[in-house]
Amino acid sequence: MERAQQEKKPIGSDDTFNPIFASMQNVSEDSGHRSFLDAPSPYRLKPDNSSSDEALKQIRTANTVSISPELFEKLYLTPQKAVKGELRGTFGNPTPVALIGFVLSCTPLACELMGWRSAGGNGAATLGAYYFCGGMLMTLGGLLEFFLGNTFAFVVFCSYGGFWFTLGSTLTPSFNAYGAYSSDPSKPYEGLTSAGFHASYGFFLLFMGLLCLLYLICALRTNVVFVTIFFGLFFTFVLLTGSYWQLAIGHAAAATNLQIASGAFAFLACLAAWWIFFAQMLASVDFPFQLPVGDISHVIRSGSDRLQDKEHFSA
């Protein structure tokens, strides 16, 4: 027993603790025996002259684990940058919530656009998913990204959440979006086949494509999978715009072909989104293997790094 006490390591040892088994480790320096892991406690307090505030701070920060920029970018879909506060270490990562809302809305819609198993109807059958998966979950995830300081993810998720709400409301009869184009007020559904509705709605899809193009350029600072998502969505909206405008001038065959092509690009974006969602879930549970997402955040150097180099050379 005396020999064991002589060999006991001093308080404040530099040993690294295992955050996964923190709750299994010894929490008191006065304990007469060590835990079965025989590892130093991350919660070991300083000598008696330390204040209680310092001790509590030491406990709160014990589980703070440094992660690489690549892992951070995989988890939050944005390059790592310093933000104030410890919200990222306190609350869960909201990014998978927004992603699952996207894939559960967009994947069925992509299949419907391609007409698989005689599907159709502009996605009206999955109207509820547009509200409660795409709209609600993506907006919720975006707002939570805002509180974590992730501007890019916040804007992307909220804007797509707005798109799903817009699509859902357009297909909801009570909003009378298409009914306003019907020549017979008692038959509002006829507005869905009117040239005015197709030509007008095409402009919304066109500018959604422009938004995706801007996101695509910004995503070049993230990873290959995220770039693939915006690449697929950009062509999805562009081709859908062409489809609606072809319908407006009565070219039904060309409109159908463009719609099928848009569904194919949407399905490509969904496959990439499913991939990065699965990668994030594996990382969240510290799975033994991880899915690569093709980090390219180092390919285009950040503006702050370029500014630092410029200041360094001018000094």
Side-chain angles (χ1 to χ4, degrees):
M1 176 66 75
E2 295 180 356
R3 182 179 180 182
Q5 293 178 350
Q6 293 176 357
E7 293 179 353
K8 178 181 288 187
K9 293 184 180 180
I11 299 174
S13 172
D14 295 332
D15 290 343
T16 303
F17 72 94
N18 185 345
I20 300 176
F21 299 104
S23 61
M24 299 181 184
Q25 297 176 0
N26 184 21
V27 297
S28 174
E29 187 64 27
D30 298 329
S31 176
H33 55 81
R34 304 291 291 274
S35 68
F36 73 93
L37 292 175
D38 196 27
S41 169
Y43 304 130
R44 182 173 296 141
L45 305 182
K46 292 183 178 180
D48 295 337
N49 57 359
S50 297
S51 66
S52 59
D53 290 341
E54 292 176 345
L56 289 174
K57 181 178 180 181
Q58 188 177 11
I59 291 175
R60 283 197 300 267
T61 58
N63 283 328
T64 300
V65 182
S66 298
I67 62 176
S68 66
E70 293 79 9
L71 179 57
F72 181 91
E73 177 268 324
K74 178 192 291 187
L75 292 176
Y76 294 101
L77 303 183
T78 187
Q80 186 175 12
K81 61 179 181 179
V83 295
K84 294 182 179 180
E86 300 178 355
L87 292 179
R88 288 172 178 168
T90 304
F91 299 102
N93 178 15
T95 306
V97 174
L99 286 175
I100 196 60
F102 173 77
V103 296
L104 289 180
S105 301
C106 193
T107 310
L109 178 59
C111 297
E112 293 165 5
L113 290 175
M114 289 186 289
W116 285 0
R117 299 190 63 83
S118 302
N122 293 321
T126 49
L127 179 62
Y130 305 152
Y131 281 115
F132 300 107
C133 291
M136 187 176 69
L137 292 183
M138 294 202 73
T139 302
L140 175 62
L143 291 176
L144 294 176
E145 295 282 3
F146 166 79
F147 290 107
L148 296 183
N150 301 327
T151 303
F152 183 56
F154 156 61
V155 176
V156 169
F157 293 153
C158 284
S159 61
Y160 281 119
F163 164 76
W164 290 115
F165 278 128
T166 302
L167 178 60
S169 61
T170 301
L171 297 175
T172 302
S174 59
F175 281 87
N176 201 40
Y178 53 82
Y181 293 90
S182 175
S183 58
D184 187 353
S186 64
K187 299 178 180 179
Y189 55 86
E190 291 183 352
L192 286 171
T193 60
S194 67
F197 173 79
H198 292 145
S200 301
Y201 196 70
F203 283 107
F204 174 65
L205 298 174
L206 175 65
F207 290 109
M208 279 299 303
L210 175 61
L211 182 64
C212 290
L213 177 61
L214 300 180
Y215 288 158
L216 174 61
I217 297 173
C218 295
L220 295 176
R221 284 273 297 140
T222 58
N223 58 64
V224 173
V225 180
F226 218 28
V227 169
T228 303
I229 293 175
F230 290 123
F231 174 83
L233 291 178
F234 168 70
F235 282 101
T236 297
F237 286 113
V238 169
L239 292 170
L240 270 180
T241 301
S243 176
Y244 273 82
W245 284 351
Q246 288 295 314
L247 280 176
I249 60 177
H251 296 169
T256 301
N257 292 332
L258 289 171
Q259 176 182 307
I260 294 174
S262 69
F265 277 102
F267 195 74
L268 171 65
C270 291
L271 290 179
W274 279 108
W275 179 274
I276 201 167
F277 169 75
F278 189 35
Q280 289 193 343
M281 296 308 295
L282 290 177
S284 68
V285 296
D286 195 21
F287 212 72
F289 69 88
Q290 302 293 322
L291 294 180
V293 295
D295 175 59
I296 54 175
S297 58
H298 59 281
V299 175
I300 300 178
R301 299 189 61 199
S302 65
S304 57
D305 289 342
R306 293 175 182 271
L307 181 60
Q308 289 179 359
D309 292 343
K310 184 178 180 180
E311 293 176 350
H312 175 74
F313 287 119
S314 61

